[in-house]
Amino acid sequence: MFQIDFSDQGVIAVEGRLDAAQAPRAQEFLDQVDGPCVLDLYKLEYVSSAGLGVLLRTHKRLMGTGDGLKLINVNHHINDIFTYSGFDKLFEIEVAER
Amino acid sequence: MQQEFSRSFDQLNDIVAFTEQVFTDQGIDPSTRYVVDLCVEELFVNMVTYDTETDRDILIEMNACPGGVEVSLTDYGVERFDPRNAGTVDVDAPLEQRTPGGLGLFLVLKMVDSIHYEYRDRNSKITFVARSKEETEEHNVSD
């Protein structure tokens, strides 16, 4: 199951598995977002290259206006994927304390 | 264990369920699970996206092996494509030079412990092994 929506704190909460089947839905949601944007990935269990593409595309669009995506509460599996992909050099990332 | 899947991204949930079943039934170390999920998805999606000259199902075989799990994906009636020859990605490039796409096979080659390719009678078979972290560390020490 995959979910993406604004949380009470105004950040965007992403849950479940962000795979190739769900990437279009995530992209459609994030295409509506403007300004600085924080993604809370605490409940994101899995991301594949399709999901990474969504994050990169959105980050590049937002950086065009000087903003960008910040990724918080990233679990260690997903942080490994970010590191292998070089995303640790492109995004501001906060790893989850657990 | 093996199962065939139709050529649709909608099959990814069923593939995850199949993987879960294999890991449970064969007592495979769950530390390899993320690598297996990611590599199976990337290879399956690559076959569905680029091997468009066939409508045959894709066969996935998955079994415990010493220290980990061996996984094969077979695509029938397709052109040769050896994923080991996939282009690399400059992960040190600045943001303006990064483009979405191309990361899938790059991650597969980065994360598996070994990968093998066979092409025979227009059937394309990719086999990879993912070992548990302890096994990988022991191999690295003994190397």
Side-chain angles (χ1 to χ4, degrees):
Chain A
M1 190 177 72
F2 173 74
Q3 289 190 348
I4 182 167
D5 208 348
F6 286 99
S7 72
D8 295 341
Q9 290 78 30
V11 305
I12 296 170
V14 188
E15 296 185 27
R17 300 178 67 87
L18 180 47
D19 59 18
Q22 300 301 329
R25 207 174 123 209
Q27 189 69 69
E28 186 179 6
F29 182 93
L30 291 171
D31 282 347
Q32 310 303 314
V33 174
D34 283 316
C37 180
V38 178
L39 259 58
D40 185 345
L41 305 186
Y42 186 75
K43 293 184 178 177
L44 183 68
E45 300 164 12
Y46 170 88
V47 64
S48 67
S49 69
L52 296 177
V54 171
L55 299 179
L56 182 60
R57 200 174 288 112
T58 304
H59 189 48
K60 288 188 77 164
R61 179 178 64 80
L62 295 177
M63 288 295 283
T65 54
D67 297 313
L69 280 182
K70 179 179 178 182
L71 310 174
I72 65 170
N73 288 321
V74 176
N75 77 37
H76 74 277
H77 284 303
I78 291 174
N79 195 49
D80 284 347
I81 302 297
F82 287 162
T83 304
Y84 292 147
S85 307
F87 277 29
D88 54 330
K89 303 178 188 76
L90 306 176
F91 292 81
E92 185 178 351
I93 296 173
E94 287 181 9
V95 178
E97 293 177 8
R98 53 179 168 175
Chain B
M1 293 174 71
Q2 64 180 49
Q3 190 169 323
E4 290 189 337
F5 297 90
S6 60
R7 314 182 70 81
S8 166
F9 293 176
D10 293 339
Q11 290 284 283
L12 290 172
N13 280 342
D14 290 340
I15 292 173
V16 170
F18 167 70
T19 303
E20 178 76 37
Q21 190 70 48
V22 174
F23 269 64
T24 301
D25 288 355
Q26 300 193 14
I28 297 169
D29 182 351
S31 75
T32 60
R33 181 63 194 275
Y34 200 104
V35 174
V36 170
D37 278 353
L38 185 106
C39 294
V40 169
E41 176 183 334
E42 301 298 352
L43 294 170
F44 180 83
V45 164
N46 199 69
M47 287 172 168
V48 171
T49 304
Y50 296 107
D51 295 341
T52 54
E53 69 270 36
T54 180
D55 58 1
R56 292 184 62 177
D57 290 352
I58 294 166
L59 174 68
I60 300 180
E61 300 165 271
M62 193 177 297
N63 288 293
C65 68
V69 55
E70 181 176 274
V71 184
S72 295
L73 291 88
T74 305
D75 205 3
Y76 299 97
V78 297
E79 297 295 323
R80 178 186 179 88
F81 177 72
D82 186 341
R84 297 173 300 180
N85 298 330
T88 190
V89 175
D90 182 4
V91 297
D92 296 318
L95 182 64
E96 55 271 19
Q97 291 174 20
R98 295 292 300 265
T99 53
L103 274 172
L105 294 179
F106 172 81
L107 287 172
V108 170
L109 298 176
K110 188 104 181 162
M111 298 179 78
V112 299
D113 287 279
S114 65
I115 188 163
H116 178 69
Y117 182 72
E118 292 174 63
Y119 186 68
R120 188 175 302 167
D121 300 330
R122 291 185 52 76
N123 299 328
S124 186
K125 181 175 183 179
I126 302 164
T127 303
F128 70 85
V129 170
R131 290 199 178 88
S132 62
K133 285 182 178 174
E134 293 78 12
E135 284 288 329
T136 303
E137 284 162 9
E138 282 176 19
H139 275 250
N140 289 340
V141 168
S142 64
D143 291 345

